[in-house]
Amino acid sequence: MSCRGIAYLCYQMNLHEDLKQDERVWMPGVLDKDVRHFNIFYVQHNRDDKFNCKPYNRKGLYKISLLKGKTKLYYADKTMDFDSALLFSNPNIPYAWEHVESEQSAYFCVFTEEFFDQFINIREYPVFKPGNVPLFHLTPEQFQHFAGIFKQMLEEITLDFAYKYDALRTMVLQLIYAAMKLEPATCQQYKDSNGSMRIASIFMELLERQFPIESAMQRMELRHPKEFASQLAVHINHLNHALKTITGKTTSQLIAERIMQEARSLLQHTDWNISEIAWSLGFDDLPHFIHFFKKNQRLTPKLYRKAQPL
């Protein structure tokens, strides 16, 4: 899907929010709770459409893609080639792809974690977990089977049926369960220099996407090197090697520098108490944060805040 397509998808999923501002629009509650959390579509592309994409987004979209046509997938420091495949992605597993031949077609369904919130914990399924290969090669028969489910979903979403999203949830689970019975695709490593550059780039994006901290209720989710390594599906030593090669700094140093940057900003520009700042930056106890800050700044958080101009 092109970046233009992703933008259109986000527009569609935001459209309901805009419509709610209009008192003339009414929607049954059973539909209202799900319409913003799920969408499905079928697309065809030629080479001019620049068929590649990264699944980063502020909406936290999960995506299941049924892809047909010679395609190359880039995943962390790995690459995979396929003709027909089923691809799973969640908001924290970065990848990109590009088509190799001129004609491409694909089915996509996208949904938020909230779409399954009351029913299951979707992030616990292996196809969405970090460290697992998210791509499944398909035979022509398998492709037709999955295409049949997507076609049924496309038809279902157009129906005037109050419980259609419950039916769609069931169909999404059909895709997941059927995929888990298949063998995942094998992959190859990038050449070392390209692989290191890609890992470093994705690491920095994953780190930066956690900032700025805009509310005392917001908290860093990725705080330790092993958590980043898990998201990137690489060994922690491999992550350290890549970052040291590209940036000259270790994983821990890069994380600490970014946390300190945010800590100084929060101390200077908010009236949050220091315990709130410590919690939002992933520290479980205040003394740990004070020790960390003093080690890097040569001042305690309290003294640093007092030293700032009003």
Side-chain angles (χ1 to χ4, degrees):
M1 185 182 188
S2 66
C3 293
R4 179 175 55 190
I6 285 290
Y8 177 73
L9 172 63
C10 291
Y11 163 77
Q12 291 284 65
M13 298 188 79
N14 287 330
L15 183 59
H16 173 66
E17 197 65 32
D18 296 334
L19 290 176
K20 286 178 68 177
Q21 308 300 322
D22 190 335
E23 294 181 357
R24 296 171 298 173
V25 176
W26 174 87
M27 185 176 289
V30 69
L31 291 178
D32 181 70
K33 68 182 177 65
D34 284 323
V35 70
R36 289 170 294 155
H37 298 296
F38 180 88
N39 207 348
I40 180 171
F41 46 95
Y42 173 74
V43 292
Q44 286 183 302
H45 291 267
N46 58 45
R47 189 177 296 278
D48 295 333
D49 288 325
K50 306 298 183 186
F51 190 61
N52 62 51
C53 167
K54 291 181 181 179
Y56 298 123
N57 56 76
R58 296 286 182 177
K59 282 288 182 184
L61 294 179
Y62 289 74
K63 181 161 64 173
I64 305 175
S65 311
L66 183 63
L67 306 165
K68 188 173 185 180
K70 289 189 181 299
T71 304
K72 187 180 292 289
L73 176 76
Y74 303 98
Y75 175 67
D77 64 337
K78 306 172 183 67
T79 180
M80 289 167 269
D81 297 289
F82 60 89
D83 294 313
S84 298
L86 192 66
L87 175 66
F88 292 82
S89 65
N90 76 43
N92 295 317
I93 299 181
Y95 70 87
W97 74 72
E98 62 179 354
H99 65 277
V100 178
E101 65 181 11
S102 58
E103 296 300 322
Q104 297 280 305
S105 65
Y107 292 93
F108 298 90
C109 71
V110 292
F111 50 90
T112 64
E113 193 168 339
E114 288 77 11
F115 186 62
F116 284 98
D117 219 12
Q118 301 174 11
F119 305 90
I120 59 172
N121 186 354
I122 196 68
R123 69 168 66 184
E124 289 303 312
Y125 279 88
V127 292
F128 291 120
K129 276 192 170 183
N132 293 326
V133 177
L135 185 80
F136 298 84
H137 289 306
L138 302 177
T139 65
E141 294 77 17
Q142 290 169 336
F143 181 89
Q144 290 304 318
H145 173 70
F146 285 106
I149 300 174
F150 275 99
K151 288 174 183 176
Q152 189 179 358
M153 294 166 75
L154 283 167
E155 181 180 346
E156 187 72 32
I157 203 169
T158 65
L159 298 179
D160 183 15
F161 175 50
Y163 296 94
K164 64 183 179 183
Y165 286 102
D166 289 332
L168 287 164
R169 262 184 286 270
T170 300
M171 293 175 204
V172 172
L173 290 175
Q174 275 185 270
L175 294 172
I176 293 171
Y177 296 146
M180 288 195 298
K181 296 174 184 177
L182 303 175
E183 287 293 327
T186 56
C187 51
Q188 299 175 334
Q189 295 290 122
Y190 272 118
K191 291 181 180 178
D192 186 65
S193 59
N194 291 338
S196 294
M197 179 64 76
R198 182 164 174 76
I199 286 177
S201 175
I202 295 171
F203 166 83
M204 293 306 296
E205 186 161 358
L206 286 175
L207 177 61
E208 194 59 38
R209 283 176 62 221
Q210 300 184 95
F211 303 104
I213 302 290
E214 297 175 329
S215 162
M217 300 301 294
Q218 179 184 346
R219 196 179 201 214
M220 286 184 66
E221 293 184 1
L222 300 178
R223 173 73 173 73
H224 303 287
K226 64 180 180 181
E227 293 167 338
F228 284 92
S230 176
Q231 287 287 20
L232 291 166
V234 298
H235 192 277
I236 190 169
N237 292 341
H238 189 30
L239 174 60
N240 257 323
H241 171 74
L243 293 176
K244 191 77 173 176
T245 299
I246 301 302
T247 71
K249 298 178 181 179
T250 67
T251 313
S252 295
Q253 286 175 320
L254 291 166
I255 294 170
E257 286 177 3
R258 188 61 183 88
I259 290 175
M260 278 301 300
Q261 179 185 339
E262 195 69 13
R264 288 190 292 265
S265 177
L266 292 173
L267 287 166
Q268 186 173 355
H269 300 295
T270 75
D271 59 359
W272 305 351
N273 65 49
I274 294 174
S275 293
E276 289 174 322
I277 293 174
W279 182 87
S280 70
L281 293 174
F283 293 88
D284 292 324
D285 57 79
L286 183 57
H288 185 197
F289 173 65
I290 293 174
H291 174 76
F292 168 84
F293 193 91
K294 187 175 181 180
K295 177 182 176 182
N296 288 277
Q297 191 65 38
R298 308 299 184 190
L299 287 173
T300 65
K302 185 176 180 179
L303 290 175
Y304 176 84
R305 173 173 267 174
K306 284 184 176 181
Q308 302 309 302
L310 298 176

